Amino acid sequence: MADIKAPVFPESVADGTIVEWHVTEGQQVNRDDLLAEIETDKVVLEVVAPDNGVVTKIVKQVDDTVLSDELIAQFEAGASASADTATEAPAEPAQAADGGEPVQAAAKSDSNDADHKDQSPAVRKAAKESGVDPKEVEGSGRGGRVTKTDMANPTLKSDSSIKSDSGRPVAESTGERTEKRVPMTRLRKTVANRLLSASQDTAMLTTFNEVNMKPLMDMRAKYKEQFEKRHGVRLGFMSLFVKAATEALKRFPAVNASLDGDDIVYHGYYDIGVAVSSDRGLVVPVLRDTDRMSMADVESRIRELGGLAQKGKLGLNDMTGGTFTISNGGVFGSLMSTPILNPPQTAILGMHAINDRPMAVDGKVEILPMMYLALSYDHRMIDGKEAVQFLVTIKELVEDPAMLLLDL
């Protein structure tokens, strides 16, 4: 008999919550099969089977809190599921019926499996996080299929009364007026607490500027095909902003520092977090040593991390640390915002939508693609002069990309 334990969490993660078991007691599994998912403050961790065998006992149930390396189940390697388990597990309702009823129960189970397979991974993920059963939602897709958009703003069927895993109603339909009560996910609660802490425990201030994106857009249009052919990845705007921010951080070390009690910690490396929106909420994977990365490296890594974020596969190492953060609300159409700090970092850069605006250039009015930039910073650590000069440096480097190449 072997123990199945929760993963060893890093020091920054106190505990986790079991959000789903993919097996039942007595079920036979193969090596590396997914057994359970544990959600921490940062990511969802997967627990897999250590060998071929049978899960003999589940110790921790869904919604239970688990500590690092804590026992969650017992496992017998090399064992096979008993015949009773194999027949009973998929059709429990058949035990209370007589005659031909077990066949009907099996058919119902097959129908449920078919419904599950007909749902996209995005729909299944949304269902797991919200507690809303897709079968109770009016689908707008082809043939009435439920889409990810339907799950984000569900219109419930008239006879629905949906319950969470704990049995507590999370959504009810009353005529045309629908209300939904959904427990916050662990990640959402953590984000909420961190944002509240950042606003209460820091002297946050935001400075703004605007940048002419035409030089960067012209460069991208001229070289994007060659860039993609050479490096196998598309040339975007984020890579240049990351490189510009890295250069600005070199010039203004206080912006790359953090506060630890009464101490100021100046970091001799540049780890930039890039805020990414996922189905689970906002996550901030970190690009390591951006001063050593090329623009192609940055684009490739952002694409890789973004894909992992959408699949919920980001690891703890992908999201820990970070000395500075960039958030791009412009991809959602945001014109201007005041981004909130990501403690213990002391600054965050906000990018926004690119819009054509009339601008005065050499005494004449020109229509130029402009973007507002926002730098939120902790005024306890960074003076206003440093913050403004830091943001101006980014503006100058973006408006003249050759300065980065020439190290000017």
Side-chain angles (χ1 to χ4, degrees):
M1 196 72 67
D3 292 339
I4 303 294
K5 296 184 177 181
V8 177
F9 305 146
E11 291 183 3
S12 60
V13 176
D15 51 37
T17 302
I18 294 185
V19 292
E20 185 173 1
W21 276 103
H22 293 268
V23 296
T24 58
E25 287 187 357
Q27 182 173 335
Q28 186 171 352
V29 296
N30 296 320
R31 182 183 180 89
D32 294 332
D33 279 356
L34 179 60
L35 302 181
E37 294 181 58
I38 298 177
E39 185 177 39
T40 71
D41 294 346
K42 299 178 181 293
V43 294
V44 173
L45 302 174
E46 295 181 345
V47 179
V48 299
D51 206 338
N52 298 340
V54 171
V55 178
T56 57
K57 183 178 181 180
I58 293 178
V59 178
K60 292 289 186 177
Q61 306 299 324
V62 171
D63 292 335
D64 283 355
T65 298
V66 296
L67 303 177
S68 179
D69 203 34
E70 184 177 5
L71 176 69
I72 61 172
Q74 292 180 333
F75 178 82
E76 185 175 354
S80 299
S82 66
D84 290 342
T85 301
T87 55
E88 291 174 8
E92 291 182 359
Q95 298 174 5
D98 299 321
E101 202 59 32
V103 177
Q104 296 177 5
K108 182 178 180 181
S109 176
D110 292 340
S111 174
N112 290 339
D113 288 343
D115 289 341
H116 181 75
K117 292 177 181 178
D118 195 45
Q119 297 162 6
S120 70
V123 168
R124 294 199 295 271
K125 177 180 279 290
K128 181 176 70 174
E129 295 194 0
S130 67
V132 176
D133 189 340
K135 290 183 292 183
E136 306 293 342
V137 176
E138 294 285 356
S140 62
R142 193 172 187 178
R145 291 185 64 182
V146 177
T147 66
K148 179 182 176 182
T149 303
D150 295 331
M151 293 299 295
N153 296 286
T155 299
L156 306 179
K157 295 178 180 178
S158 58
D159 60 345
S160 67
S161 179
I162 301 173
K163 299 181 182 296
S164 67
D165 291 336
S166 62
R168 180 162 55 89
V170 295
E172 293 184 356
S173 177
T174 310
E176 296 181 354
R177 304 184 67 183
T178 300
E179 290 185 352
K180 182 173 66 170
R181 184 184 296 271
V182 180
M184 292 176 69
T185 65
R186 190 183 185 96
L187 176 63
R188 175 57 59 189
K189 285 189 287 188
T190 300
V191 170
N193 291 333
R194 286 178 63 86
L195 293 179
L196 185 61
S197 174
S199 63
Q200 292 178 338
D201 299 338
T202 64
M204 194 173 72
L205 188 63
T206 304
T207 184
F208 299 93
N209 214 314
E210 57 185 349
V211 57
N212 175 14
M213 293 292 290
K214 189 174 187 304
L216 184 55
M217 295 173 72
D218 289 344
M219 183 189 77
R220 181 173 181 268
K222 182 176 181 179
Y223 295 110
K224 65 179 181 180
E225 292 184 4
Q226 292 174 257
F227 187 91
E228 185 172 359
K229 185 176 180 180
R230 173 72 179 273
H231 301 290
V233 65
R234 292 182 179 180
L235 176 61
F237 296 138
M238 183 59 79
S239 57
L240 190 94
F241 274 92
V242 168
K243 296 301 290 182
T246 302
E247 178 59 33
L249 290 171
K250 292 179 181 179
R251 302 181 189 184
F252 301 93
V255 185
N256 195 50
S258 61
L259 287 174
D260 184 9
D262 293 331
D263 297 330
I264 300 173
V265 181
Y266 291 95
H267 304 291
Y269 50 89
Y270 307 93
D271 291 353
I272 295 182
V274 178
V276 175
S277 178
S278 72
D279 291 339
R280 296 180 59 245
L282 187 70
V283 292
V284 187
V286 179
L287 304 172
R288 309 288 180 186
D289 298 316
T290 55
D291 56 322
R292 302 178 186 177
M293 300 176 74
S294 67
M295 290 179 64
D297 293 335
V298 173
E299 292 290 353
S300 297
R301 187 60 176 153
I302 289 176
R303 182 176 180 180
E304 179 184 357
L305 292 171
L308 292 173
Q310 294 303 324
K311 297 175 184 177
K313 300 294 185 181
L314 283 172
L316 287 170
N317 290 336
D318 296 325
M319 301 174 62
T320 54
T323 60
F324 184 75
T325 296
I326 299 178
S327 178
N328 185 8
V331 296
F332 304 109
S334 173
L335 179 64
M336 186 179 292
S337 67
T338 55
I340 298 180
L341 295 175
N342 183 20
Q345 297 173 23
T346 53
I348 178 173
L349 176 70
M351 299 167 56
H352 300 93
I354 302 171
N355 290 318
D356 287 342
R357 295 204 300 272
M359 304 295 295
V361 180
D362 297 329
K364 298 180 181 179
V365 176
E366 293 186 20
I367 305 299
L368 296 174
M370 303 296 295
M371 175 196 286
Y372 288 118
L373 296 179
L375 180 76
S376 292
Y377 59 98
D378 191 339
H379 211 345
R380 298 176 303 167
M381 175 71 191
I382 303 170
D383 293 333
K385 177 183 177 182
E386 285 181 301
V388 171
Q389 290 178 331
F390 176 87
L391 194 56
V392 168
T393 298
I394 292 179
K395 168 184 169 68
E396 291 173 346
L397 293 173
V398 171
E399 289 185 339
D400 191 356
M403 294 178 68
L404 280 173
L405 300 177
L406 298 175
D407 194 22
L408 299 176

